[in-house]
Amino acid sequence: MTRVVRSSEIKADIEVDCLIIGGGAAGLTAALAASETGATVLVAERENQLSGSTALSSGLIPAAGTKIQKKQSIADSEDIFFADIMTKNKKTSDFEHVKKIVNQIPKTIDWLSDKYEITFHVLDNFLYPGHTNHRMHTVPEKTGVGLIHRLETAVLKQDVTVATGVQVSDLVVDETNKAIGAICLRPDGTSEHIAAAAIILACNGYGANPDLIAEYIPEMKDALYFGHPGNQGEAILWGKALGAELLHLSGYQGHGSVAHPHGILVTWALMMEGGIQINRKGERFSNEHHGYSEQAVSVLGQDGKISFNIFDERLAILGRGFDDFNKAEESGALIKADSIVELANKIGVDPSTFHKTLAACDEYAGGDKIDPFGRTFDPSKRLAAPYYAVKVTGALFHTQGGLRVNRDAQICHPNGVPFENIFACGGAACGVSGPDVSGYLSGNGLLTALSLGEIAGNKAGKTTSKSN
Ligand SMILES: Cc1cc2nc3c(=O)[nH]c(=O)nc-3n(C[C@H](O)[C@H](O)[C@H](O)COP(=O)(O)OP(=O)(O)OC[C@H]3O[C@@H](n4cnc5c(N)ncnc54)[C@H](O)[C@@H]3O)c2cc1C
């Protein structure tokens, strides 16, 4: 049970300045920032090891104006990035909130890189949908596991306590709604009381809570959930009980390219660089370049809730640059054929319809016809034999709505007045994707995990008495 307990005091087993609930990218970034202020910091993570959705992710963080971009001679600006985010969410996100995050993220990337030696580079061989420039920063492993390990290594070198197997069940607040601590459950059923001068909610959203999904995102209630099981929505439930403002709870990131039944993400780079998606009839059904998030809904709308990613050897080589793609290939998810007819027969679609679909794509690329779905086909990226197919389905990756935060990452009442010492970051906070699936620009998840994580950690640390 998740509760807010009201009490003027807490009989504490442990006392810290700053309690961070959740040990994903948001929580660990917040821990680094809070620790720099001199505050004592405890990260409470319900699982036995640090992972979160962060470790399941591709680990790609968009940022404009970093030192790394400059080093790679990539011209970009906060204004262009801001415009890309607002175009994707159709201007449904709060202008100031997005500005703050776009302004913060390059500083956070440079800070992690300079101070904590977390090495990043920018992927510059393809653009993700909706991004004007190359700005996806990634650690050398190009995985979320690599990112979480590097953050964990940095945190463990600081004076920060990371407690795993600790599920925070209750927040304790006084009569003025000031947090004074939390109650935690241990796997053996015992509980501990932690007194804290500030609390950071870094426990992500509610993707793993079927009741909350049915309530706020009914279109995905029967879909595969591909995020972390620890994301049970406590931040939302505490926020509700506190009377805090919650925003865009119907917003989420979906993905239209999870290998089925293997359950492995197949990079959308294939679609951006010339691949297409077809249904069981052998027909395309959407503009693949609109974005992989909304494509989840389009794929789930096809017969059997599946579609096929179609690509060729050139794109398979591109895909092999990604860990997940290699796992999909090793698992036998890739079907290869020397001709269109052979591939059609192998995947069970009508060869003549499939042939017509590919021929039409060639005509769009040649400028003879316009794609009815509105995609621009690049003539230099036509598919050629040998061909590949992967059967995929659509999935829910993570929720994007959450607690509305101000520029200091404090959670707020509906009238805008902040809660003095309760902060939210990452998937616990309302992101920058607006109220529906189509507003998610690639990377919006880790964008708010890292940027709001640094802000929350810094501000929370500074509000605590010892560091003042
Ligand atoms: C397959 C996949 C690929 C993705 N790829 C990308 C990408 O390339 N780029 C991008 O920007 N985003 C991506 N995302 C989204 C991204 O992973 C998330 O937005 C991001 O990891 C959120 O970070 P977080 O720290 O808020 O949450 P998490 O990393 O999920 O961490 C939250 C932690 O809180 C813990 N927790 C929850 N409740 C409690 C509690 N009550 N007590 C104690 N601990 C608790 C959880 O166990 C969890 O470890 C992807 C997501 C998925 C699923």
Side-chain angles (χ1 to χ4, degrees), residues 47 118 240 243-244 341 358 382 444:
E47 302 295 328
I118 298 181
K240 262 188 172 179
V341 173
L358 283 177
R382 291 172 201 236
N444 275 359

Side-chain angles (χ1 to χ4, degrees), residues 52-267:
S53 281
T54 303
L56 306 177
S57 79
S58 309
L60 303 173
I61 312 150
T66 60
K67 290 183 188 168
I68 299 115
Q69 266 188 327
K70 283 177 197 132
K71 205 167 141 196
Q72 289 182 225
S73 307
I74 298 167
D76 200 3
S77 75
E78 285 176 25
D79 287 347
I80 301 173
F81 186 21
F82 173 81
D84 288 349
I85 292 176
M86 295 305 273
T87 300
K88 192 75 177 81
N89 69 31
K90 301 184 198 72
K91 299 198 170 105
T92 53
S93 280
D94 179 75
F95 187 92
E96 291 303 329
H97 180 57
V98 180
K99 275 259 167 217
K100 175 76 190 163
I101 285 167
V102 165
N103 174 262
Q104 179 61 42
I105 192 67
K107 296 177 196 155
T108 301
I109 295 277
D110 287 349
W111 165 69
L112 289 173
S113 162
D114 294 346
K115 184 137 189 196
Y116 297 103
E117 295 172 352
I118 298 181
T119 317
F120 291 101
H121 69 278
V122 176
L123 293 186
D124 58 4
N125 52 347
F126 64 92
L127 281 171
Y128 275 91
H131 285 282
T132 303
N133 293 313
H134 293 122
R135 56 171 78 105
M136 287 298 190
H137 293 67
T138 177
V139 292
E141 300 82 7
K142 289 203 273 181
T143 60
V145 173
L147 177 64
I148 204 86
H149 281 165
R150 284 167 186 268
L151 284 168
E152 182 179 5
T153 305
V155 166
L156 293 178
K157 285 185 190 157
Q158 315 310 312
D159 193 13
V160 170
T161 305
V162 177
T164 52
V166 176
Q167 179 198 338
V168 178
S169 57
D170 304 328
L171 295 192
V172 185
V173 299
D174 70 12
E175 61 288 350
T176 66
N177 263 340
K178 186 175 173 190
I180 58 171
I183 303 172
C184 306
L185 295 177
R186 288 287 195 173
D188 62 6
T190 57
S191 64
E192 273 167 5
H193 289 61
I194 301 175
I199 293 186
I200 299 177
L201 307 177
C203 43
N204 207 336
Y206 43 96
N209 184 323
D211 292 340
L212 291 178
I213 292 299
E215 183 177 352
Y216 296 117
I217 314 178
E219 73 206 55
M220 294 307 269
K221 73 178 170 33
D222 297 321
L224 170 72
Y225 170 59
F226 210 60
H228 191 261
N231 302 155
Q232 293 288 335
E234 280 94 337
I236 303 304
L237 298 170
W238 289 320
K240 262 188 172 179
L242 286 165
E245 185 174 2
L246 296 157
L247 257 189
H248 292 165
L249 294 183
S250 50
Y252 68 100
Q253 183 208 344
H255 209 297
S257 178
V258 175
H260 182 75
H262 312 79
I264 302 170
L265 176 65
V266 179
T267 175

Side-chain angles (χ1 to χ4, degrees), residues 125-452:
N125 52 347
F126 64 92
L127 281 171
Y128 275 91
H131 285 282
T132 303
N133 293 313
H134 293 122
R135 56 171 78 105
M136 287 298 190
H137 293 67
T138 177
V139 292
E141 300 82 7
K142 289 203 273 181
T143 60
V145 173
L147 177 64
I148 204 86
H149 281 165
R150 284 167 186 268
L151 284 168
E152 182 179 5
T153 305
V155 166
L156 293 178
K157 285 185 190 157
Q158 315 310 312
D159 193 13
V160 170
T161 305
V162 177
T164 52
V166 176
Q167 179 198 338
V168 178
S169 57
D170 304 328
L171 295 192
V172 185
V173 299
D174 70 12
E175 61 288 350
T176 66
N177 263 340
K178 186 175 173 190
I180 58 171
I183 303 172
C184 306
L185 295 177
R186 288 287 195 173
D188 62 6
T190 57
S191 64
E192 273 167 5
H193 289 61
I194 301 175
I199 293 186
I200 299 177
L201 307 177
C203 43
N204 207 336
Y206 43 96
N209 184 323
D211 292 340
L212 291 178
I213 292 299
E215 183 177 352
Y216 296 117
I217 314 178
E219 73 206 55
M220 294 307 269
K221 73 178 170 33
D222 297 321
L224 170 72
Y225 170 59
F226 210 60
H228 191 261
N231 302 155
Q232 293 288 335
E234 280 94 337
I236 303 304
L237 298 170
W238 289 320
K240 262 188 172 179
L242 286 165
E245 185 174 2
L246 296 157
L247 257 189
H248 292 165
L249 294 183
S250 50
Y252 68 100
Q253 183 208 344
H255 209 297
S257 178
V258 175
H260 182 75
H262 312 79
I264 302 170
L265 176 65
V266 179
T267 175
W268 205 248
L270 305 181
M271 296 300 120
M272 298 311 292
E273 290 299 300
I276 59 168
Q277 283 198 317
I278 60 163
N279 56 22
R280 279 183 161 155
K281 290 188 199 142
E283 293 168 344
R284 283 178 62 238
F285 50 89
S286 62
N287 178 349
E288 299 86 345
H289 286 188
H290 274 162
Y292 51 64
S293 183
E294 54 268 57
Q295 197 71 5
V297 180
S298 302
V299 170
L300 290 172
Q302 303 309 305
D303 180 26
K305 300 185 177 182
I306 58 117
S307 74
F308 295 95
N309 289 358
I310 305 295
F311 52 99
D312 60 8
E313 191 64 50
R314 172 182 64 83
L315 293 171
I317 292 167
L318 175 68
R320 288 183 191 116
F322 293 86
D323 225 34
D324 283 336
F325 185 90
N326 293 324
K327 281 189 198 136
E329 188 159 28
E330 283 157 22
S331 313
L334 273 61
I335 298 156
K336 186 177 178 182
D338 287 329
S339 71
I340 294 172
V341 173
E342 187 191 344
L343 191 66
N345 287 330
K346 279 186 172 174
I347 62 177
V349 304
D350 174 47
S352 116
T353 310
F354 183 33
H355 193 277
K356 276 189 205 143
T357 298
L358 283 177
C361 294
D362 276 346
E363 287 179 328
Y364 307 144
D368 306 328
K369 276 191 183 165
I370 290 175
D371 174 27
F373 298 111
R375 172 170 162 181
T376 303
F377 280 81
D378 182 338
S380 69
K381 293 174 182 165
R382 291 172 201 236
L383 299 180
Y387 299 100
Y388 288 83
V390 180
K391 192 199 277 185
V392 295
T393 190
L396 166 66
F397 272 24
H398 66 287
T399 52
Q400 276 285 289
L403 289 150
R404 185 167 84 76
V405 293
N406 67 7
R407 52 186 300 109
D408 290 338
Q410 287 165 302
I411 70 168
C412 298
H413 292 89
N415 63 4
V417 174
F419 286 72
E420 187 182 330
N421 64 347
I422 309 179
F423 301 79
C425 50
C430 176
V432 293
S433 305
D436 70 61
V437 64
S438 66
Y440 186 85
L441 183 71
S442 317
N444 275 359
L446 288 169
L447 169 67
T448 55
L450 270 73
S451 57
L452 289 177

